[in-house]
Amino acid sequence: MSNIIAGHLSSSIDSAVSELRSGNLVAIPTETVYGLAAIASNRLAISKIFSLKGRPTNHPLILHIAEIGDLEVWAKNISTSAMNLAKTFWPGPLTLVLDRTSKVSVEVTGGRETVAIRCPSHPVTRELLKKLSDAVVAPSANRFGRVSPTCAQHVLDDLGVDAPLILDGGECTIGLESTIIDCSSEPFQLLRSGAITASQIWDACEIKIIAGSGDSRASGMLNKHYAPRCRVVLVDDLLSAQKTRNSLSTGHTNVRILEAQDDLVTYAHSLYASLRQADIDEVDVLIAVRSPQSGLGIAINERLEKAANSAD
Ligand code: TXA
Ligand code: MG
């Protein structure tokens, strides 16, 4: 059966459930980016994620659960503050790193005593998880180090003939990966910026989140992430972008400017598609304008910095 539907876009949640139960991978839509999912209780299926992505096996995966009530199956020693975050922001684009229970297999955490968990809000994946009656683990559905997919076609473009069944849930509304907070010790640390910001967390829960120690526990912290093939140069405003373009546009260099959008939601939503499009159009240098360093702009700038670093 998997040979018939693998690599095809589908809207059938039932087919996705049966693929996962058979130990196969399925690309799933979330509100952040598409994920490459395996059923959390199947270690062999989990190992397929690493080989398909080309991801080192010590890079831990995020567990996706159907509802907050499932949290204690996978995590223990959950502090009142961590529970408060889950209750306030789930379902939604927030991942919590917590002490793991023995139910979490070693393949998921890369041998760590902690596990990253989130409860996604995309209605298709919520229904999938409810029907499955199990959790899935899912990294972004791209080859390791590349730009995360924000629509079903991106997954197919990236994984090609190796693509599993792709459950098509339309374009991801947010377009950037979830915020990751390490709640395994106090004070909580921000490991990856996303649509939920430290200041929103403070406003809603009065929990202080400090900057992560930058020890690359989150693979998104590595330089080689969110990378298009073209060179990315960062500037602060459009005028600098135009000056940089003029200085580079001699010869046959194909230079493009990626303008910052005043509406940060729109900028985040379209950012990865713009990076992909630059490669499709064989752009040599993409000059990207930074966002203001607040709100969603923090996450946008973090991804732009990684994209720029990776070209070195
Ligand atoms: O929005 C998202 O989070 C997407 C969608 C598909 O849910 N998933 C995603 O997964 O971005 P991935 O594998 O691309 O990124 C997972 C991040 C990595 O940076 C990984 O190092 C970090 O989560 N992570 C997982 N477990 C961890 C742990 N125990 N401690 C610290 N970081 C962890
Ligand atoms: Mg990723």
Side-chain angles (χ1 to χ4, degrees), residues 30 32-35 55 60-62 64 95 97 112 114-116 118 138-140 177-178 180 191-192 217-220:
T30 85
T32 59
V33 300
Y34 273 71
R55 175 169 167 133
L61 302 171
I62 297 177
H64 295 60
T95 296
V97 173
R112 289 167 182 73
T114 55
V115 61
R118 87 179 191 95
S140 49
E177 302 81 352
S178 60
I180 305 180
L191 298 185
R192 184 173 71 187
R217 275 181 299 172
S219 68

Side-chain angles (χ1 to χ4, degrees), residues 2 28 38 48 57 79 82 109-110 114 121-122 168 179 185 198 220 229 242 256 260 275 281 287 312:
S2 65
I28 58 166
K48 292 180 187 171
T57 51
S79 66
T109 67
T114 55
S121 66
H122 194 294
D168 191 351
T179 304
S185 60
R229 287 181 179 82
Q242 285 157 348
R256 174 175 295 173
L275 296 181
D281 297 341
I287 305 168
D312 292 341

Side-chain angles (χ1 to χ4, degrees), residues 258-272:
L258 178 61
E259 284 187 41
Q261 318 250 346
D262 291 336
D263 178 1
L264 294 182
V265 172
T266 306
Y267 197 14
H269 176 76
S270 59
L271 179 64
Y272 287 159

Side-chain angles (χ1 to χ4, degrees), residues 39-175:
I39 204 159
S41 52
N42 187 330
R43 302 168 83 158
L44 190 63
I46 294 169
S47 71
K48 292 180 187 171
I49 291 179
F50 290 94
S51 46
L52 180 49
K53 272 190 68 108
R55 175 169 167 133
T57 51
N58 62 352
H59 282 248
L61 302 171
I62 297 177
L63 249 161
H64 295 60
I65 58 176
E67 51 195 88
I68 199 168
D70 299 338
L71 181 57
E72 276 158 313
V73 174
W74 307 98
K76 61 182 182 185
N77 307 328
I78 306 166
S79 66
T80 311
S81 298
M83 193 53 96
N84 199 356
L85 289 184
K87 283 183 182 154
T88 306
F89 294 102
W90 284 359
L94 180 69
T95 296
L96 304 179
V97 173
L98 296 158
D99 290 348
R100 66 171 184 88
T101 62
S102 57
K103 198 165 180 253
V104 181
S105 64
V106 68
E107 289 80 2
V108 174
T109 67
R112 289 167 182 73
E113 287 307 312
T114 55
V115 61
I117 304 182
R118 87 179 191 95
C119 177
S121 66
H122 194 294
V124 170
T125 286
R126 293 207 74 198
E127 198 180 329
L128 169 84
L129 289 169
K130 276 185 200 142
K131 285 190 166 174
L132 193 64
S133 300
D134 200 343
V136 297
V137 287
S140 49
N142 50 282
R143 305 264 185 206
F144 184 64
R146 310 303 307 177
V147 179
S148 296
T150 54
C151 66
Q153 186 63 42
H154 290 168
V155 180
L156 197 54
D157 293 346
D158 232 44
L159 302 181
V161 291
D162 298 329
L165 173 71
I166 301 166
L167 190 54
D168 191 351
E171 284 185 22
C172 303
T173 50
I174 295 172

Side-chain angles (χ1 to χ4, degrees), residues 209-270:
I209 309 292
I210 63 164
S213 53
D215 62 0
S216 299
R217 275 181 299 172
S219 68
M221 304 303 283
L222 297 180
N223 280 348
K224 209 182 156 322
H225 266 71
Y226 320 115
R229 287 181 179 82
C230 62
R231 196 177 138 216
V232 178
V233 175
L234 291 189
V235 293
D236 286 330
D237 51 46
L238 192 54
L239 193 62
S240 318
Q242 285 157 348
K243 280 186 189 156
T244 309
R245 180 178 56 192
N246 293 343
S247 71
L248 288 169
S249 285
T250 50
H252 301 289
T253 315
N254 184 356
V255 183
R256 174 175 295 173
I257 293 176
L258 178 61
E259 284 187 41
Q261 318 250 346
D262 291 336
D263 178 1
L264 294 182
V265 172
T266 306
Y267 197 14
H269 176 76
S270 59

